[in-house]
Amino acid sequence: MRLSRISAAALLTAAALSLTAGGAAAAQCSSTSAGFEQWIDEFKREASGQGVSPSVLNKVFSSVSYNTATIRADRGMKSYKLSFDQFMQKRGGAAIISRGKGMKKNNAALFARIEQRYGVPAGPLIAIWGMETGFGGFQGKEHTLSAVATLAFDCRRSEYFTDQLYAALELVANNELSVSAVGAAHGEIGQTQFLPRNVVRYGVDGDGDGRIDLVRSKADALASTANFLRGHGWQAGAGYQQGQPNFAAIQGWNAATVYQQAIAYIGAQIDGQ
């Protein structure tokens, strides 16, 4: 993914804000797959009317299809209802801690640079990295644009994912996202699983190669994660356990309490707190 974000960026963001704020009639959502093709046609008309390039829209939607695996995953996030101990066991918390300590040692210079720049220590970054993709080992298998479009069409969180779809269009327009890209079931991208809008807002070049590649570059993924946490109020040097100032930034990453608790605990074990 390229570092520059010019051309259609401001226009796409304005279009997303206009539509999600009710500035134009939204394409009709559904709770089933019925009407998806018609929804695409209507969305394309709306987006084109807001200034999104027809060539970008045609390029994107030529590869998009309704993703039943995404809907199944969206309806089945049962692990977030587990107790802390059950969640840690199911998500391999002990293994993340064990491997994470090695990751911290083997990438000490990288984590030192990130902490110096963003104020975020290694522990919570490694905890997120391990929890999300097993340190980049499995980043998902679903077609990213289909996943996001499916959730924009689905009535459960249509407004939220319509904004994510506009962000994905922005990434495609700036050659930062391939129309063939694959990732997690909700359209998350890369080693720490950024939704498209968060790539736009918080993606940074962590390895200095002039590109933002959250899929192949652990430095980009980890620095972007630190930038996200800082953008959600992270204070350098403050604690990140429940009741401490930086726990709120972890809450910004994921709304599930048990996930937040796991990240704080795993991070503390890795950081030796």
Side-chain angles (χ1 to χ4, degrees):
M1 289 188 270
R2 274 195 237 151
L3 185 60
S4 61
R5 291 200 176 95
I6 52 178
S7 71
L11 200 53
L12 283 163
T13 301
L17 290 173
S18 174
L19 288 173
T20 57
Q28 184 63 48
C29 69
S30 174
S31 296
T32 72
S33 62
F36 185 63
E37 295 301 325
Q38 293 89 338
W39 175 88
I40 287 176
D41 290 341
E42 181 58 30
F43 177 85
K44 288 170 67 176
R45 282 193 292 271
E46 292 171 0
S48 180
Q50 293 292 327
V52 181
S53 166
S55 64
V56 169
L57 292 167
N58 290 334
K59 181 180 179 182
V60 165
F61 284 100
S62 67
S63 69
V64 162
S65 60
Y66 187 85
N67 192 316
T68 55
T70 285
I71 295 299
R72 187 164 57 247
D74 189 60
R75 304 295 192 262
M77 295 185 288
K78 298 178 181 179
S79 66
Y80 294 145
K81 299 178 182 179
L82 299 174
S83 70
F84 175 79
D85 289 340
Q86 290 170 331
F87 184 83
M88 286 287 288
Q89 183 175 8
K90 184 175 181 63
R91 299 293 287 266
I96 294 172
I97 292 168
S98 178
R99 286 190 63 195
K101 289 178 178 178
M103 291 290 184
K104 180 178 179 180
K105 181 179 179 180
N106 295 335
N107 298 277
L110 171 61
F111 286 113
R113 289 197 306 271
I114 290 174
E115 184 168 10
Q116 182 179 28
R117 181 171 181 181
Y118 299 103
V120 183
L125 298 176
I126 294 172
I128 290 169
W129 190 22
M131 184 71 72
E132 294 290 349
T133 66
F135 308 104
F138 181 69
Q139 300 181 35
K141 62 181 182 179
E142 303 304 328
H143 183 245
T144 297
L145 291 166
S146 291
V148 177
T150 297
L151 290 168
F153 169 66
D154 184 63
C155 286
R156 195 168 88 86
R157 290 186 286 174
S158 180
E159 182 176 311
Y160 179 81
F161 279 98
T162 296
D163 179 60
Q164 297 297 333
L165 182 54
Y166 270 96
L169 292 173
E170 181 175 331
L171 295 173
V172 172
N174 289 298
N175 297 314
E176 297 176 342
L177 179 67
S178 168
V179 294
S180 62
V182 296
H186 289 74
E188 302 97 332
I189 298 165
Q191 296 194 31
T192 56
Q193 303 285 265
F194 268 52
L195 284 169
R197 180 59 65 196
N198 288 331
V199 178
V200 172
R201 288 175 176 162
Y202 301 108
V204 294
D205 175 17
D207 56 19
D209 69 352
R211 297 165 59 88
I212 299 172
D213 187 345
L214 304 186
V215 173
R216 300 170 190 83
S217 171
K218 64 185 176 185
D220 289 5
L222 292 166
S224 297
T225 305
N227 191 37
F228 176 99
L229 293 173
R230 185 177 69 174
H232 284 73
W234 191 280
Q235 303 173 34
Y240 55 82
Q241 301 304 301
Q242 278 187 289
Q244 296 181 321
N246 288 329
F247 191 74
I250 296 174
Q251 291 175 308
W253 182 268
N254 188 298
T257 299
V258 70
Y259 181 102
Q260 299 157 8
Q261 294 169 335
I263 294 303
Y265 177 80
I266 293 169
Q269 296 302 304
I270 293 170
D271 281 337
Q273 295 182 1

